[in-house]
């Protein structure tokens, strides 16, 4: 089955994820972070991306995707992720890849950066303003997302449109 519990993921990928440090969810004066915004900000590491179309689930970036999400207190974000085992190019020149190599990069890597605002803290709604993206159709647009934060896990569901289903992306807090 594709859906794994956090502990199953931790046990299979413990080399990548440190044990949860719940002190990260405390402010400098030792109080527990209360606001969604404070819990949303931080450095997050990719856990999984699950795509669902008509009840059928798949892992479009493989079973062990890698990536980072950085959300700053100055309302900036950067998100980069990819399939972990992308084959290297036959020629050691990124500008001289084959059509198949470029297709793999387009399908198995993703990056996006810009600014954000919390649109509804109670509901976990965030507006992402896209300054740059590996999918250029999103550049200059505002994307609405709803995030769920559960301890050190950040989960977002992304509707893809055009019959491409919904991606559920899970991140683990590193800092």
């Amino acid at each position: 089955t594709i859906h794994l519990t956090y502990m199953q993921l931790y046990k299979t990928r413990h080399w990548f994820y440190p044990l949860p440090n719940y002190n990260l969810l405390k402010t400098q004066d030792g109080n527990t972070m209360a606001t969604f915004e404070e819990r949303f900000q931080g450095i997050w590491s990719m856990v999984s991306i699950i795509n669902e179309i008509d009840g059928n689930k798949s892992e479009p970036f493989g079973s062990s995707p890698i990536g980072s999400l950085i959300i700053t207190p100055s309302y900036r974000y950067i998100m980069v992720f990819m399939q972990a085992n992308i084959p290297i190019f036959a020629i050691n020149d990124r500008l001289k890849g084959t059509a198949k190599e470029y297709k793999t990069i387009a399908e198995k890597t993703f990056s996006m950066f810009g600014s954000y605002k919390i649109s509804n803290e109670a509901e976990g709604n965030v507006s992402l303003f896209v300054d740059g993206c590996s999918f250029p159709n999103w550049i200059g647009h505002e994307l609405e997302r709803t995030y769920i934060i559960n301890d050190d896990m950040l989960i977002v569901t992304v509707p893809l449109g055009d019959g491409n289903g919904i991606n559920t992306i899970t991140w683990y807090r590193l800092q």
Side-chain angles (χ1 to χ4, degrees):
T1 180
I2 291 174
H3 282 291
L4 299 174
T5 66
Y6 168 70
M7 284 313 296
Q8 288 170 317
L9 286 167
Y10 177 78
K11 287 177 185 175
T12 59
R13 298 179 68 195
H14 66 276
W15 56 270
F16 193 76
Y17 297 104
L19 284 171
N21 180 352
Y22 294 102
N23 289 329
L24 293 174
L25 297 177
K26 297 192 181 288
T27 59
Q28 289 181 344
D29 61 5
N31 293 324
T32 300
M33 289 185 188
T35 69
F36 172 83
E37 184 174 335
E38 290 172 314
R39 293 180 295 134
F40 182 63
Q41 295 165 352
I43 300 173
W44 302 86
S45 183
M46 174 67 62
V47 173
S48 67
I49 303 174
I50 307 295
N51 177 263
E52 184 171 352
I53 302 173
D54 298 326
N56 298 313
K57 296 178 183 175
S58 66
E59 296 174 303
F61 290 84
S63 61
S64 299
I66 56 176
S68 295
L69 171 62
I70 300 171
I71 304 168
T72 72
S74 58
Y75 302 99
R76 301 293 300 169
Y77 72 90
I78 183 167
M79 172 187 328
V80 179
F81 56 85
M82 62 190 288
Q83 182 171 304
N85 58 350
I86 293 177
I88 63 171
F89 280 22
I91 298 173
N92 194 24
D93 185 337
R94 70 178 185 87
L95 300 177
K96 294 182 181 175
T98 65
K100 182 179 179 183
E101 290 167 334
Y102 287 135
K103 184 177 188 293
T104 299
I105 295 301
E107 291 175 345
K108 302 300 179 181
T109 66
F110 183 80
S111 61
M112 186 168 81
F113 63 93
S115 60
Y116 73 91
K117 74 174 181 180
I118 308 295
S119 20
N120 183 330
E121 187 164 315
E123 298 292 324
N125 297 338
V126 177
S127 296
L128 301 174
F129 303 96
V130 184
D131 293 341
C133 185
S134 58
F135 180 59
N137 298 30
W138 285 356
I139 296 172
H141 289 268
E142 177 181 346
L143 305 175
E144 287 292 326
R145 301 289 185 254
T146 300
Y147 290 84
I148 297 168
I149 303 172
N150 186 1
D151 294 325
D152 282 346
M153 304 300 281
L154 176 68
I155 301 166
V156 60
T157 303
V158 181
L160 300 177
D162 295 328
N164 292 316
I166 296 172
N167 278 350
T168 299
I169 305 173
T170 304
W171 301 90
Y172 175 78
R173 180 186 298 280
L174 292 180
Q175 190 175 3

